[in-house]
């Protein structure tokens, strides 16, 4: 696979997001399949693995092998995390309609900047189970706060419009901490 460069890619936001609180905000339960798209070093994937339990599964995907290697070193004896080096804008080695939560934190703005919304949305729709949800967490569009340059950030309204234009219905928009918002959406059936 050719090395792909994403805007602000490869950086961890571990110090800016409370993974435990974020996972608690999700409609995630034991036995679910959680896909962490652009998982970075996996700090959110590890928290999700606890939430889904041994009967559940976490698929942690990142285009950067270095990030996935860090996650692999942290998994220890957990058997419910599958780390993958892959590009989320291409077909992933995951069966159709098997993902309950397709999650991406601090990734969507880069997808938009790179003009990759169409292939991403097609893959998300392929993967989501009948009751599955897409969750987008990204930086608030607020001057003087950590995160990407202001011209790269997307407001909650901008993300909502993009999702709706691509066949999703936004269920909720909320606050995900000091620097982030969370949007939960479902495919329009």
């Amino acid at each position: 696979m050719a090395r792909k460069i994403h805007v602000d890619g490869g950086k961890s936001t571990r110090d800016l997001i409370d993974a435990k609180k974020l996972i608690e905000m999700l409609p995630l339960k034991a036995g679910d399949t959680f896909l962490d798209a652009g998982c970075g070093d996996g700090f959110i994937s590890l928290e999700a693995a606890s939430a889904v339990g041994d009967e559940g599964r976490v698929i942690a995907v990142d285009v950067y092998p270095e990030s996935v290697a860090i996650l692999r070193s942290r998994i220890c004896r957990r058997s419910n995390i599958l780390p993958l080096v892959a590009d989320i804008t291409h077909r992933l080695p995951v069966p159709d309609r098997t993902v309950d939560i397709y999650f991406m934190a601090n990734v969507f703005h880069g997808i938009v900047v790179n003009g990759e919304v169409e292939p991403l949305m097609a893959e998300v729709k392929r993967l989501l189970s009948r009751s599955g949800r897409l969750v987008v967490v990204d930086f608030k569009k607020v001057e003087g706060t950590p995160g990407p340059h202001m011209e790269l950030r997307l407001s909650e309204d901008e993300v909502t419009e993009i999702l709706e234009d691509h066949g999703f219905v936004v269920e909720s928009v909320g606050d995900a901490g000091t620097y982030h918002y969370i949007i939960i959406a479902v495919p329009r059936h």
Side-chain angles (χ1 to χ4, degrees), residues 21-148:
K21 284 184 183 175
L22 191 55
I23 292 299
E24 289 171 357
M25 296 175 78
L26 303 178
L28 188 63
K29 60 190 182 313
D32 279 353
T33 296
F34 178 91
L35 191 145
D36 189 356
C39 66
D41 65 11
F43 74 103
I44 295 172
S45 294
L46 290 167
E47 201 60 53
S50 295
V52 300
D54 291 337
E55 349 37 267
R57 186 173 184 206
V58 172
I59 304 164
V61 184
D62 205 285
V63 74
Y64 296 101
E66 302 86 356
S67 296
V68 175
I70 292 169
L71 173 58
R72 279 194 178 108
S73 73
R74 292 183 175 148
I75 290 175
C76 302
R77 287 185 282 276
R78 288 184 189 266
S79 60
N80 67 342
I81 300 178
L82 172 64
L84 290 176
V85 176
D87 182 338
I88 60 171
T89 64
H90 292 85
R91 188 177 181 91
L92 297 175
V94 177
D96 294 1
R97 304 215 175 280
T98 56
V99 172
D100 298 296
I101 300 287
Y102 189 105
F103 178 89
M104 59 177 75
N106 303 322
V107 171
F108 198 67
H109 68 273
I111 295 293
V112 172
V113 168
N114 287 345
E116 299 172 314
V117 175
E118 296 291 334
L120 174 72
M121 291 293 113
E123 183 64 353
V124 171
K125 288 177 187 173
R126 180 186 75 80
L127 292 174
L128 283 179
S129 67
R130 190 83 180 129
S131 60
R133 288 172 170 78
L134 168 61
V135 177
V136 176
V137 174
D138 221 319
F139 286 97
K140 294 175 183 173
K141 202 168 184 174
V142 177
E143 289 281 354
T145 56

